[in-house]
Amino acid sequence: MVVLLKNNPDPKQMENLTNWFHSMGLNTHVSVGEQQTIIGLIGDTSRVDMDVIRALDIVEDVKRIQEPFKNANRKFHPDDTVIDVAGHKIGGGNFQVIAGPCSVESEEQIIGVAKAVKASGATILRGGAFKPRTSPYAFQGLHGKGINLLLEAKRITGMPIITEIMDAATLPLFEDVDIIQVGARNMQNFELLKQLGTIRKPVLLKRGLANTLQELLMSAEYIMAGGNEQVILCERGIRTFETYTRNTLDLSAIPVLRSLTHLPIVVDPSHATGAAYLVKPLAVAAAVAGADGLIVEVHNDPAHALCDGPQSLTPAAFDDMMKRLQKVLPYAVRD
Ligand code: PEP
Ligand code: MN
């Protein structure tokens, strides 16, 4: 349920109202927007008498929310959420490109790629240290050493870093990581999501291989229900019957999510396609369809990458993609 307040509500009356809701066992979420202040009610609202609330002096209207996601719902928070990552804003018309290798492999590799993608305009560095591989015999990542190498790249280039978590027990290693990534395979690892709700750091939540957008939003809700409101959603392709691409990029996810939620939406054209030659066209398409950013895999030597080489761009191909993006971003459809 949302309570829409009249313009410039009296702070004392607002406090009395929220206290009253709390006394009914409800949690409240106040969103002070440019146009309107909204009190979102979370909990069992079945016994709340909407007419009584509507009759109050400071209240303009009261509406029930049908969707099961509340904190992530645009009806709770009409303005776009803008997430600030070390001075780089994502959301609300701010577009950022996250780039780097699938996995951190060596100091030379991560620092070389970081410098190259930064020179082309990427603002956030990616690199996996804990890798969710289909085969237990495949490279599993450098773990703590990988995070230390990312931190070294951050120190040298000044770029904030994003890396994937697979187990909440490793959370202390992520202390100086700027964005924690939850991979597609862990989108419904609810215990992990609850743990990430207890911290105050941005989380990039990837859509699962076969999950609906509502399920993605319910997973975001798990993190937000714990009080961590800094969630970035990521569309990275879903499983379909098509085999020429690793996954099928669901571009409609961008406007659909934009209508349902205030959270920033980032697109991963690398995992969506699995092929380097498809990354540029889909990156451009995602930007024009209104994404708030991209996360792209770049490797200095894709042929010898320990993970996801076929979908990794060379620094030169990444630079070319960035130039094309600059041309199309003014035409992005965000309304
Ligand atoms: C990754 O970002 O390298 C990754 C494993 O992505 P996803 O979870 O989308 O497969
Ligand atoms: Mn990868």
Side-chain angles (χ1 to χ4, degrees):
M1 187 177 282
V2 283
V3 181
L4 307 137
L5 302 184
K6 287 182 184 153
N7 273 347
N8 303 315
D10 175 55
K12 188 70 206 158
Q13 281 182 296
M14 225 177 106
E15 195 189 320
N16 289 343
L17 185 57
T18 46
N19 285 342
W20 184 45
F21 290 135
H22 295 160
S23 74
M24 289 194 260
L26 298 168
N27 283 325
T28 55
H29 177 278
V30 179
S31 161
V32 183
E34 274 174 30
Q35 310 292 334
Q36 191 155 43
T37 299
I38 292 174
I39 305 179
L41 303 183
I42 303 159
D44 180 9
T45 54
S46 57
R47 290 206 308 270
V48 175
D49 187 335
M50 291 171 75
D51 292 333
V52 170
I53 299 167
R54 206 175 273 124
L56 296 174
D57 227 22
I58 58 166
V59 173
E60 188 171 293
D61 202 3
V62 185
K63 289 181 187 158
R64 286 215 180 268
I65 294 208
Q66 306 303 335
E67 297 86 4
F69 46 95
K70 310 293 176 191
N71 287 285
N73 204 310
R74 196 176 269 289
K75 290 173 190 152
F76 259 48
H77 189 294
D79 294 339
D80 287 349
T81 282
V82 178
I83 297 183
D84 192 309
V85 185
H88 304 290
K89 293 189 169 67
I90 307 183
N94 303 285
F95 188 90
Q96 301 297 335
V97 178
I98 304 169
C102 178
S103 309
V104 180
E105 297 173 10
S106 68
E107 182 170 350
E108 195 191 358
Q109 175 238 22
I110 191 67
I111 291 168
V113 174
K115 285 181 176 166
V117 295
K118 184 181 177 184
S120 299
T123 47
I124 302 169
L125 176 67
R126 68 150 286 151
F130 292 93
K131 295 305 306 175
R133 304 303 300 277
T134 302
S135 165
Y137 310 117
F139 176 60
Q140 304 285 309
L142 296 180
H143 297 178
K145 186 175 171 225
I147 294 187
N148 286 337
L149 291 177
L150 277 170
L151 291 172
E152 175 73 357
K154 173 178 171 173
R155 199 181 55 72
I156 293 173
T157 61
M159 294 175 91
I161 55 172
I162 173 170
T163 193
E164 178 169 352
I165 193 165
M166 286 169 56
D167 181 350
T170 62
L171 203 46
L173 294 174
F174 290 71
E175 180 86 35
D176 297 319
V177 167
D178 300 276
I179 308 177
I180 298 182
Q181 175 174 321
V182 175
R185 290 151 192 85
N186 273 312
M187 189 202 89
Q188 288 191 315
N189 181 341
F190 299 119
E191 289 307 317
L192 176 62
L193 300 179
K194 281 187 209 165
Q195 285 297 316
L196 295 174
T198 66
I199 61 168
R200 297 294 175 264
K201 198 188 268 295
V203 174
L204 181 132
L205 177 65
K206 288 189 144 193
R207 181 180 182 180
L209 278 68
N211 285 109
T212 64
L213 295 174
Q214 179 154 311
E215 286 163 344
L216 172 62
L217 290 168
M218 290 312 291
S219 290
E221 195 72 19
Y222 261 93
I223 301 169
M224 300 178 86
N228 186 0
E229 300 194 334
Q230 300 185 79
V231 179
I232 302 165
L233 302 171
C234 179
E235 162 59 39
R236 45 77 72 206
I238 48 173
R239 276 267 165 96
T240 68
F241 47 79
E242 183 51 66
T243 54
Y244 278 106
T245 49
R246 183 175 178 183
N247 292 290
T248 295
L249 179 60
D250 179 9
L251 278 176
S252 1
I254 304 164
V256 171
L257 287 171
R258 177 144 342 277
S259 72
L260 295 173
T261 181
H262 51 89
L263 297 173
I265 305 147
V266 158
V267 168
D268 175 345
S270 308
H271 292 88
T273 59
Y277 83 99
L278 294 172
V279 171
K280 179 167 80 170
L282 291 182
V284 165
V288 175
D292 298 299
L294 297 170
I295 177 165
V296 179
E297 287 188 343
V298 180
H299 198 283
N300 52 320
D301 182 7
H304 296 103
L306 296 181
C307 185
D308 286 347
Q311 69 195 32
S312 299
L313 298 182
T314 59
F318 178 71
D319 192 65
D320 175 52
M321 182 203 87
M322 291 295 280
K323 290 203 168 89
R324 185 62 79 93
L325 267 183
Q326 290 313 320
K327 286 192 190 147
V328 301
L329 272 170
Y331 303 100
V333 180
R334 300 182 47 85
D335 49 301

